[in-house]
């Protein structure tokens, strides 16, 4: 009898696992609006004359870091939402105008594309399988996790750029 109860409890727990971290579009949109605002704080903190600053010659400039986030946001969102990206792969990062005003405009447009894409996805569609970038099999929810992780990673790298430029980074924006 104890063995049956244990197996029944285990079965229920295993069935609940896929939904433990279930996402819903409303929460996702709120997270991306927060991410947009946080990234904006980073861009506002960096002086205009430091947007082309590189921590070392081999790495992206601050502007390129922000535009790399943007390119990924477009690519991921297009794949996840099944919509056409208005920006070609890597196009943002290759822009010649890396002025503060232009970078802010391009980055915000990329975040707006993410948010608009999320508004087109239902909670049920988050479990749909996709092949991301022609090689990675996952659900739309997992791809969204990877996209959020990507922008967080590169924004975090930008913390070093701010510090090296003598600027105090924005406070963490968890909520």
């Amino acid at each position: 009898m104890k063995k049956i109860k244990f197996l029944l409890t285990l079965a229920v727990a295993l069935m609940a696992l896929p939904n433990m971290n279930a996402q819903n579009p409303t929460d996702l949109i709120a997270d991306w609006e927060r991410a947009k605002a946080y990234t904006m704080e980073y861009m506002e903190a960096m002086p205009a004359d430091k947007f082309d600053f590189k921590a070392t010659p081999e790495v992206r400039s601050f502007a390129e870091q922000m535009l790399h986030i943007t390119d990924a946001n477009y690519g991921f969102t297009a794949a996840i939402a099944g919509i056409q990206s208005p920006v070609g792969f890597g196009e943002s990062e290759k822009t010649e105008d890396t002025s503060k005003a232009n970078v802010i405009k391009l980055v915000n447009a990329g975040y707006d594309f993410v948010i608009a894409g999320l508004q087109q996805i239902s909670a049920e569609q988050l479990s749909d399988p996709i092949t991301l970038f022609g090689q990675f099999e996952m659900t739309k929810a997992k791809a969204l996790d990877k996209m959020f992780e990507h922008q967080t990673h590169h924004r975090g790298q930008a913390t070093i750029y701010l510090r090296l430029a003598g600027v105090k980074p924005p406070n963490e924006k968890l909520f």
Side-chain angles (χ1 to χ4, degrees), residues 96-114:
E96 291 185 23
D97 182 358
T98 57
S99 67
K100 183 172 185 169
N102 192 53
V103 171
I104 287 172
K105 179 182 88 171
L106 295 175
V107 171
N108 282 333
Y111 277 101
D112 290 342
F113 184 74
V114 172

Side-chain angles (χ1 to χ4, degrees), residues 9-90:
T9 303
L10 181 62
V12 170
L14 289 174
M15 289 186 322
L17 277 178
N19 296 316
M20 283 180 65
N21 290 322
Q23 299 169 320
N24 68 66
T26 302
D27 289 346
L28 290 168
I29 290 166
D31 284 342
W32 279 95
E33 288 172 342
R34 177 177 49 82
K36 177 184 175 184
Y38 194 22
T39 304
M40 184 67 183
E41 289 179 18
Y42 267 75
M43 293 185 295
E44 288 174 340
M46 182 61 92
D49 65 336
K50 300 286 189 194
F51 263 61
D52 287 325
F53 173 75
K54 291 183 172 194
T56 67
E58 303 83 24
V59 300
R60 292 179 175 102
S61 69
F62 179 83
E64 290 167 338
Q65 284 283 11
M66 296 295 112
L67 295 168
H68 177 72
I69 292 170
T70 301
D71 283 329
N73 285 351
Y74 278 114
F76 273 96
T77 301
I80 294 164
I83 55 179
Q84 184 70 34
S85 172
V87 174
F89 186 75

